[in-house]
Amino acid sequence: FPVTIFRVFVSIMKTSIETNTAGTIVINSEYLGNKSATWGDKKNPNYHNHSVKVTHNKKSFSFEFWGSIMNPEISNDQENVFAFYCALSDALSAKDDFDGFCSEFGYDSDSRTAERTYKACQKTLKKVERVFSCGLYDLINEIQETYNC
C-alpha cells in the first residue's frame, strides 16, 4: 500500500524595529499553516496562518495573521512589519463607535458580521493599548512612512 508522508516546515521570522514614537519593537512570526481562515472561499480555503507576537518594553501581545494564496508565508522583515501594521490598523478602527465603524467600512449596522468584526477589532485594541503607551496614530503613521505599508 502507498504511504503518504507529510512534511511540515515551520518558518519563523524575528524582526526588530526602532521607532521614534515607541522605541524598540520586536515582531516574531511563526508560519503554522494548520488552520483554515473562517472567511472566504470554502472550496479553496486559506491555510496560510501565522502566529505573531509583538514585544515592547517587556510587554507583548499576540494575534493571528494569514498570508495570501500568492504569498503564503512571512519571509522577510518587511512582511513581518506589515503583519504588525495590519494589527495596528484593525485596532485603531475600533477607536470609533460601532455606527462610525460600519460607516467607515461599508457594513450594515444591523449586521451580525459587522458586530463580530467590530468586537474583534476592540479586542485587538485592548491588547495593543496594554503594550503601548505612545500615540497609536503616530506609531502607525511612522510605520507606514518608514516601511511603506
Side-chain angles (χ1 to χ4, degrees):
F1 8 359
V3 176
T4 304
I5 298 174
F6 292 97
R7 291 185 117 175
V8 177
F9 295 95
V10 176
S11 172
I12 298 173
M13 281 293 307
K14 180 176 182 177
T15 304
S16 181
I17 62 172
E18 290 293 329
T19 66
N20 293 324
T21 307
T24 304
I25 301 168
V26 178
I27 308 157
N28 290 303
S29 64
E30 180 178 355
Y31 178 77
L32 302 174
N34 66 351
K35 181 178 176 183
S36 178
T38 58
W39 66 90
D41 185 355
K42 300 299 181 198
K43 291 180 184 176
N44 299 303
N46 180 346
Y47 282 94
H48 305 301
N49 66 310
H50 299 75
S51 175
V52 182
K53 181 179 179 183
V54 177
T55 305
H56 172 66
N57 288 341
K58 299 181 182 177
K59 295 180 183 177
S60 63
F61 76 97
S62 298
F63 61 94
E64 292 181 313
F65 179 81
W66 268 262
S68 69
I69 301 297
M70 294 299 294
N71 190 20
E73 292 185 47
I74 293 173
S75 60
N76 59 51
D77 291 335
Q78 176 72 24
E79 292 168 357
N80 225 13
V81 172
F82 180 71
F84 173 49
Y85 174 84
C86 289
L88 274 179
S89 180
D90 287 354
L92 289 172
S93 68
K95 287 253 187 199
D96 206 349
D97 65 15
F98 180 65
D99 288 330
F101 174 85
C102 290
S103 176
E104 177 72 22
F105 296 102
Y107 284 109
D108 178 348
S109 61
D110 196 32
S111 164
R112 288 191 176 131
T113 299
E115 183 180 23
R116 278 192 307 273
T117 304
Y118 181 69
K119 286 182 178 183
C121 291
Q122 284 182 314
K123 183 177 176 182
T124 302
L125 178 60
K126 287 178 184 176
K127 290 179 179 182
V128 169
E129 288 179 332
R130 185 179 47 75
V131 172
F132 293 96
S133 58
C134 62
L136 295 179
Y137 288 106
D138 292 336
L139 179 58
I140 198 168
N141 286 338
E142 181 179 352
I143 289 171
Q144 183 177 24
E145 290 171 10
T146 305
Y147 298 96
N148 298 314
C149 292

